[in-house]
Amino acid sequence: MKKIICAALAAAMPLAPASAATCWKKDHVEAAQVRNFEMMLMVSALRCNTSAYDFLPAYNQFVREKRTALVEVNDALRSHFADVAGLEGGLDAYDDYVIMLANSYGAGAGGLECRDLQAIQAAANAVPANRAAIWKLSESAGIAPRIDAPQCDMAIALANDLLADEGVSGGSVGRSIAMAEGAARLPSAQARGPAN
């Protein structure tokens, strides 16, 4: 069973250098979470601006005051997508990602009413103007990052754990992933860990 999981993991990460680019680094995951939070506020502010709980002016204040942190988040996301798809393809992938986030809030924000979102916006305006503070608030609000691949540290740790369970020595991440990839390419009857 472990060999099957290891092979599946390796198939998801075809080459060691590429696997580092396709998984999400911790910094990029946090940026995705903050961007998701900010997108929820933006779309909700537009949806609620004709209600009794109009917080569009508060959202605009948030963007002005937290601009440096929000630009930093966008730069981190662009960096992730450039790692995955190259500079030009990365820009398109980033645009697609932002559109996907916006569309996901088109019908609402997970059962939250405009008054709830107005309160979240007030909290967002009250936190310090740095990325860490906005990320912490997004955590408190239960916002999850929307990512399409595993986090790098989790994927690498899983591969190393699986290979360690199979008796593979060395502990080198690159070697472990390369061995996992080799096992994935072999027919199932031949898939086995290397000799120590």
Side-chain angles (χ1 to χ4, degrees):
M1 178 65 175
K2 291 176 188 168
K3 289 179 185 177
I4 293 170
I5 293 171
C6 190
L9 179 63
M13 299 185 294
L15 300 172
S19 66
T22 57
C23 61
W24 284 75
K25 297 173 187 168
K26 184 179 188 291
D27 179 57
H28 297 160
V29 172
E30 290 178 2
Q33 184 169 332
V34 171
R35 187 65 166 119
N36 188 18
F37 178 69
E38 187 266 329
M39 190 58 67
M40 176 190 74
L41 293 175
M42 182 192 79
V43 173
S44 299
L46 293 170
R47 289 183 73 246
C48 296
N49 76 335
T50 58
S51 75
Y53 302 97
D54 176 17
F55 62 92
L56 187 57
Y59 170 77
N60 290 332
Q61 176 186 351
F62 168 76
V63 171
R64 282 190 309 273
E65 292 176 357
K66 312 300 197 262
R67 177 173 170 70
T68 300
L70 297 175
V71 167
E72 182 183 329
V73 162
N74 286 331
D75 289 346
L77 286 172
R78 285 186 188 99
S79 172
H80 167 76
F81 289 111
D83 288 348
V84 172
L87 191 54
E88 189 174 322
L91 290 175
D92 291 339
Y94 170 79
D95 288 343
D96 291 344
Y97 180 78
V98 171
I99 290 167
M100 177 276 299
L101 288 178
N103 288 341
S104 72
Y105 291 110
L112 295 172
E113 301 293 328
C114 288
R115 69 176 173 270
D116 304 320
L117 292 156
Q118 184 182 48
I120 293 170
Q121 182 65 68
N125 286 15
V127 300
N130 64 62
R131 179 177 162 179
I134 301 168
W135 175 81
K136 188 173 180 179
L137 179 60
S138 73
E139 271 290 290
S140 298
I143 302 300
R146 303 223 180 145
I147 57 176
D148 58 357
Q151 280 188 241
C152 296
D153 53 347
M154 291 179 174
I156 290 169
L158 177 60
N160 284 336
D161 287 347
L162 290 170
L163 290 169
D165 288 347
E166 291 296 315
V168 175
S169 62
S172 166
V173 171
R175 181 171 178 243
S176 297
I177 291 174
M179 288 181 210
E181 291 164 354
R185 286 190 208 99
L186 293 174
S188 59
Q190 295 178 1
R192 60 183 174 277
N196 286 336

